[in-house]
């Protein structure tokens, strides 16, 4: 099968979000068609509580899904559906905003002050933008870890590896969300659906992410792949750890303002007007 070549390598950039959270943004708020159906990927790894403790106080979402994956520390969550809890190391919060949800996320870190994790935003098609919101909390012990020959290990959040399916299913964009760890001097090949958008985000070590092996890709870099049926990753002297993401493009117009993503400016204005007037939250359809 033809392996995907690299279309683009992007270094994540320092960004300030929420009430004053310092993070690195791999992509978001620009060139939306490149990453369709994904909208944004933030790397919020930090070791200074002063740079993340202010968190993300109450704010609305509509028309998208937000996926928070914590690798160290804890995040407190509350929302307008009545959900309340804490996600910790290895846990995932998969929230479908749909017609509208108001929530807050407050990073707390661990006893050493470390707060590591990622937030991915995925778009919803026009036919599902006003679906009922739903909240899924997946704990680390519900996420299978697949061991491959040679010491490669993969946490399967969504998608399938060697017949093992991740716990997050029934998602509109048919996503795959894998956390891959490779030791030195190894090769990893993974089949991906042709036509899907495929990304990798390196958050430790370095590796080659194409068969030509012209350049090593290092920590805090995003790889956007061209089309194809496989992704091939090779390590040399160093190990690597990266997120591997794929999804089915929606190919619809995007009207975007902060945490609200619709198809037209009129729909976007309606959402903003409803938020200001207190009619943003809708009654469930079912």
């Amino acid at each position: 099968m033809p392996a995907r070549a690299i279309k683009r390598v992007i270094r994540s950039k320092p960004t300030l979000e929420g009430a004053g959270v310092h993070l690195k943004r791999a992509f978001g708020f620009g060139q939306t068609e490149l990453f369709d159906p994904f909208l944004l990927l933030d790397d919020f790894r930090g070791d200074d509580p002063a740079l993340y403790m202010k968190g993300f106080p109450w704010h609305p979402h509509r028309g998208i899904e937000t996926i928070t994956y914590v690798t160290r520390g804890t995040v407190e969550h509350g929302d307008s559906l009545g959900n309340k809890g804490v996600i910790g190391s290895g846990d995932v919060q998969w929230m479908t905003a749909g017609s509208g949800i108001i929530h807050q996320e407050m990073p707390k870190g661990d006893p050493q002050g470390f707060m590591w994790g990622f937030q991915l935003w995925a778009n919803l098609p026009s036919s599902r933008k006003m679906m009922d919101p739903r909240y899924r909390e997946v704990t680390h012990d519900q996420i299978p870890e697949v061991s491959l020959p040679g010491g490669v290990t993969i946490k399967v959040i969504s998608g399938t590896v060697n017949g093992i399916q991740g716990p997050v299913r029934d998602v509109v964009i048919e996503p795959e969300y894998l956390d891959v760890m490779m030791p030195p001097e190894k090769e990893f090949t993974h089949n991906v659906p042709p036509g899907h958008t495929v990304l990798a985000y390196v958050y430790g070590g370095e590796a080659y992410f194409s068969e030509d092996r012209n350049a090593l890709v290092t920590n805090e870099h995003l790889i956007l792949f061209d089309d194809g049926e496989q992704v091939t990753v090779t390590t040399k002297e160093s190990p690597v750890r990266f997120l591997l993401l794929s999804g089915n493009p929606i190919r619809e117009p995007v009207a975007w303002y902060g945490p609200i993503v619709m198809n037209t400016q009129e729909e976007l204005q309606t959402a903003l007007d409803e938020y200001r007037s207190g009619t943003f939250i809708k009654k469930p359809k079912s």
Side-chain angles (χ1 to χ4, degrees), residues 163-193:
I164 305 299
Q165 189 172 9
V168 180
R169 306 171 188 180
D170 184 31
V171 179
V172 178
I173 61 166
E174 304 171 36
E176 192 158 69
Y177 194 134
L178 310 177
D179 182 0
V180 183
M181 294 149 279
M182 295 178 60
E185 304 290 346
K186 299 299 175 185
E187 182 172 288
F188 165 65
T189 298
H190 182 66
N191 294 340
V192 292

Short mmCIF file of all heavy atoms in Angstrom, two decimals, residues 163-193:
data_model
loop_
_atom_site.label_atom_id
_atom_site.label_comp_id
_atom_site.label_asym_id
_atom_site.label_seq_id
_atom_site.Cartn_x
_atom_site.Cartn_y
_atom_site.Cartn_z
N GLY A 163 -7.25 -5.17 15.69
CA GLY A 163 -8.54 -5.71 16.09
C GLY A 163 -9.05 -5.21 17.42
O GLY A 163 -10.15 -5.58 17.84
N ILE A 164 -8.27 -4.38 18.12
CA ILE A 164 -8.68 -3.82 19.40
C ILE A 164 -9.27 -2.44 19.18
O ILE A 164 -8.60 -1.54 18.66
CB ILE A 164 -7.50 -3.72 20.39
CG1 ILE A 164 -6.83 -5.10 20.56
CG2 ILE A 164 -7.96 -3.18 21.72
CD1 ILE A 164 -7.72 -6.17 21.11
N GLN A 165 -10.54 -2.26 19.57
CA GLN A 165 -11.24 -1.01 19.32
C GLN A 165 -11.23 -0.14 20.58
O GLN A 165 -11.40 -0.62 21.70
CB GLN A 165 -12.68 -1.28 18.90
CG GLN A 165 -13.42 -0.03 18.42
CD GLN A 165 -14.78 -0.38 17.83
OE1 GLN A 165 -15.23 -1.51 17.92
NE2 GLN A 165 -15.45 0.59 17.22
N GLY A 166 -11.05 1.16 20.37
CA GLY A 166 -11.07 2.11 21.48
C GLY A 166 -12.48 2.31 22.01
O GLY A 166 -13.47 1.98 21.35
N PRO A 167 -12.60 2.87 23.22
CA PRO A 167 -13.91 2.99 23.86
C PRO A 167 -14.79 4.10 23.31
O PRO A 167 -16.00 4.08 23.51
CB PRO A 167 -13.55 3.27 25.33
CG PRO A 167 -12.22 3.93 25.25
CD PRO A 167 -11.50 3.28 24.10
N VAL A 168 -14.22 5.10 22.63
CA VAL A 168 -15.02 6.19 22.09
C VAL A 168 -15.50 5.81 20.70
O VAL A 168 -14.70 5.70 19.77
CB VAL A 168 -14.23 7.52 22.05
CG1 VAL A 168 -15.11 8.63 21.50
CG2 VAL A 168 -13.73 7.88 23.44
N ARG A 169 -16.81 5.58 20.58
CA ARG A 169 -17.39 5.13 19.32
C ARG A 169 -18.61 5.99 18.97
O ARG A 169 -18.96 6.90 19.70
CB ARG A 169 -17.80 3.66 19.44
CG ARG A 169 -16.65 2.76 19.91
CD ARG A 169 -17.09 1.35 20.23
NE ARG A 169 -16.00 0.59 20.86
CZ ARG A 169 -16.09 -0.66 21.25
NH1 ARG A 169 -17.23 -1.33 21.09
NH2 ARG A 169 -15.06 -1.26 21.82
N ASP A 170 -19.22 5.70 17.85
CA ASP A 170 -20.42 6.43 17.44
C ASP A 170 -20.16 7.93 17.37
O ASP A 170 -20.88 8.74 17.94
CB ASP A 170 -21.58 6.12 18.41
CG ASP A 170 -22.89 6.77 17.97
OD1 ASP A 170 -23.09 6.92 16.75
OD2 ASP A 170 -23.69 7.14 18.85
N VAL A 171 -19.08 8.30 16.67
CA VAL A 171 -18.72 9.71 16.48
C VAL A 171 -18.86 10.04 15.01
O VAL A 171 -18.44 9.27 14.14
CB VAL A 171 -17.30 10.00 16.99
CG1 VAL A 171 -16.94 11.46 16.77
CG2 VAL A 171 -17.18 9.64 18.47
N VAL A 172 -19.43 11.20 14.72
CA VAL A 172 -19.85 11.56 13.37
C VAL A 172 -18.70 11.51 12.36
O VAL A 172 -18.86 11.01 11.24
CB VAL A 172 -20.51 12.95 13.37
CG1 VAL A 172 -20.90 13.37 11.95
CG2 VAL A 172 -21.73 12.97 14.28
N ILE A 173 -17.53 12.02 12.74
CA ILE A 173 -16.44 12.16 11.77
C ILE A 173 -15.57 10.90 11.65
O ILE A 173 -14.54 10.93 10.99
CB ILE A 173 -15.54 13.36 12.13
CG1 ILE A 173 -14.91 13.16 13.51
CG2 ILE A 173 -16.32 14.66 12.04
CD1 ILE A 173 -13.77 14.10 13.80
N GLU A 174 -16.02 9.79 12.26
CA GLU A 174 -15.28 8.53 12.19
C GLU A 174 -13.81 8.70 12.58
O GLU A 174 -12.90 8.31 11.85
CB GLU A 174 -15.36 7.95 10.77
CG GLU A 174 -16.77 7.75 10.26
CD GLU A 174 -16.79 7.40 8.78
OE1 GLU A 174 -15.89 6.68 8.32
OE2 GLU A 174 -17.70 7.87 8.08
N PRO A 175 -13.55 9.27 13.75
CA PRO A 175 -12.16 9.60 14.08
C PRO A 175 -11.35 8.41 14.56
O PRO A 175 -11.88 7.40 15.03
CB PRO A 175 -12.32 10.61 15.23
CG PRO A 175 -13.55 10.13 15.93
CD PRO A 175 -14.46 9.64 14.83
N GLU A 176 -10.04 8.56 14.44
CA GLU A 176 -9.10 7.68 15.11
C GLU A 176 -8.21 8.57 15.97
O GLU A 176 -7.72 9.61 15.51
CB GLU A 176 -8.27 6.91 14.08
CG GLU A 176 -7.47 5.77 14.68
CD GLU A 176 -7.10 4.73 13.62
OE1 GLU A 176 -6.28 5.06 12.75
OE2 GLU A 176 -7.63 3.61 13.67
N TYR A 177 -8.04 8.17 17.22
CA TYR A 177 -7.22 8.95 18.16
C TYR A 177 -6.33 7.95 18.89
O TYR A 177 -6.79 7.20 19.74
CB TYR A 177 -8.13 9.71 19.13
CG TYR A 177 -7.46 10.81 19.93
CD1 TYR A 177 -8.06 12.05 20.06
CD2 TYR A 177 -6.25 10.61 20.59
CE1 TYR A 177 -7.47 13.08 20.80
CE2 TYR A 177 -5.66 11.62 21.33
CZ TYR A 177 -6.27 12.85 21.42
OH TYR A 177 -5.68 13.86 22.17
N LEU A 178 -5.05 7.95 18.55
CA LEU A 178 -4.09 7.01 19.10
C LEU A 178 -2.95 7.76 19.78
O LEU A 178 -2.50 8.80 19.29
CB LEU A 178 -3.50 6.11 18.00
CG LEU A 178 -4.48 5.42 17.05
CD1 LEU A 178 -3.71 4.64 15.99
CD2 LEU A 178 -5.44 4.51 17.81
N ASP A 179 -2.48 7.21 20.89
CA ASP A 179 -1.29 7.72 21.58
C ASP A 179 -0.22 6.65 21.41
O ASP A 179 -0.32 5.57 22.00
CB ASP A 179 -1.61 7.97 23.05
CG ASP A 179 -0.44 8.56 23.83
OD1 ASP A 179 0.63 8.77 23.23
OD2 ASP A 179 -0.59 8.80 25.04
N VAL A 180 0.80 6.96 20.59
CA VAL A 180 1.78 5.96 20.16
C VAL A 180 3.13 6.20 20.84
O VAL A 180 3.64 7.32 20.84
CB VAL A 180 1.96 5.98 18.63
CG1 VAL A 180 2.92 4.88 18.18
CG2 VAL A 180 0.61 5.85 17.92
N MET A 181 3.71 5.14 21.39
CA MET A 181 5.04 5.20 22.01
C MET A 181 5.95 4.18 21.30
O MET A 181 5.63 2.99 21.24
CB MET A 181 4.95 4.86 23.49
CG MET A 181 4.18 5.91 24.30
SD MET A 181 3.30 5.24 25.73
CE MET A 181 1.81 4.58 24.95
N MET A 182 7.09 4.66 20.78
CA MET A 182 8.01 3.81 20.04
C MET A 182 9.41 3.88 20.65
O MET A 182 9.92 4.98 20.89
CB MET A 182 8.10 4.25 18.57
CG MET A 182 6.83 4.10 17.77
SD MET A 182 7.05 4.72 16.06
CE MET A 182 8.37 3.65 15.45
N PRO A 183 10.07 2.74 20.88
CA PRO A 183 11.46 2.76 21.32
C PRO A 183 12.39 3.08 20.15
O PRO A 183 11.95 3.17 18.99
CB PRO A 183 11.68 1.34 21.84
CG PRO A 183 10.68 0.51 21.13
CD PRO A 183 9.51 1.40 20.82
N PRO A 184 13.69 3.26 20.42
CA PRO A 184 14.64 3.53 19.33
C PRO A 184 14.75 2.38 18.34
O PRO A 184 14.48 1.21 18.67
CB PRO A 184 15.97 3.73 20.08
CG PRO A 184 15.60 4.08 21.48
CD PRO A 184 14.32 3.34 21.75
N GLU A 185 15.16 2.75 17.11
CA GLU A 185 15.46 1.77 16.06
C GLU A 185 14.28 0.85 15.73
O GLU A 185 14.43 -0.35 15.54
CB GLU A 185 16.67 0.91 16.46
CG GLU A 185 17.93 1.69 16.78
CD GLU A 185 18.57 2.36 15.57
OE1 GLU A 185 18.19 2.01 14.43
OE2 GLU A 185 19.43 3.22 15.76
N LYS A 186 13.09 1.44 15.62
CA LYS A 186 11.90 0.66 15.30
C LYS A 186 11.12 1.32 14.16
O LYS A 186 11.27 2.51 13.88
CB LYS A 186 11.00 0.51 16.53
CG LYS A 186 11.64 -0.21 17.70
CD LYS A 186 12.06 -1.63 17.35
CE LYS A 186 12.80 -2.29 18.51
NZ LYS A 186 13.31 -3.63 18.15
N GLU A 187 10.25 0.53 13.53
CA GLU A 187 9.36 1.05 12.49
C GLU A 187 7.92 0.68 12.84
O GLU A 187 7.66 -0.43 13.33
CB GLU A 187 9.72 0.48 11.13
CG GLU A 187 8.85 1.04 9.99
CD GLU A 187 9.32 0.62 8.62
OE1 GLU A 187 10.36 1.14 8.18
OE2 GLU A 187 8.65 -0.23 8.00
N PHE A 188 7.04 1.61 12.60
CA PHE A 188 5.61 1.41 12.87
C PHE A 188 4.84 1.79 11.62
O PHE A 188 5.02 2.88 11.07
CB PHE A 188 5.19 2.29 14.06
CG PHE A 188 3.70 2.45 14.23
CD1 PHE A 188 2.90 1.36 14.54
CD2 PHE A 188 3.10 3.70 14.09
CE1 PHE A 188 1.53 1.51 14.72
CE2 PHE A 188 1.73 3.86 14.27
CZ PHE A 188 0.94 2.77 14.58
N THR A 189 3.99 0.89 11.16
CA THR A 189 3.15 1.15 10.00
C THR A 189 1.70 0.94 10.39
O THR A 189 1.36 -0.07 11.03
CB THR A 189 3.52 0.21 8.83
OG1 THR A 189 4.87 0.47 8.45
CG2 THR A 189 2.62 0.48 7.63
N HIS A 190 0.86 1.90 10.02
CA HIS A 190 -0.55 1.83 10.41
C HIS A 190 -1.41 2.18 9.22
O HIS A 190 -1.19 3.20 8.54
CB HIS A 190 -0.80 2.81 11.56
CG HIS A 190 -2.21 2.80 12.07
ND1 HIS A 190 -2.76 1.69 12.70
CD2 HIS A 190 -3.19 3.74 12.02
CE1 HIS A 190 -4.01 1.98 13.04
NE2 HIS A 190 -4.29 3.21 12.63
N ASN A 191 -2.41 1.35 8.94
CA ASN A 191 -3.34 1.62 7.85
C ASN A 191 -4.31 2.73 8.24
O ASN A 191 -4.82 2.75 9.37
CB ASN A 191 -4.13 0.37 7.50
CG ASN A 191 -3.26 -0.73 6.93
OD1 ASN A 191 -2.16 -0.47 6.44
ND2 ASN A 191 -3.73 -1.96 6.99
N VAL A 192 -4.57 3.63 7.31
CA VAL A 192 -5.52 4.72 7.53
C VAL A 192 -6.45 4.79 6.32
O VAL A 192 -6.06 4.42 5.20
CB VAL A 192 -4.80 6.08 7.73
CG1 VAL A 192 -4.04 6.10 9.04
CG2 VAL A 192 -3.86 6.39 6.56
N PRO A 193 -7.69 5.26 6.51
CA PRO A 193 -8.62 5.30 5.38
C PRO A 193 -8.19 6.33 4.33
O PRO A 193 -7.93 7.50 4.67
CB PRO A 193 -9.95 5.72 6.04
CG PRO A 193 -9.78 5.41 7.49
CD PRO A 193 -8.34 5.64 7.78
#
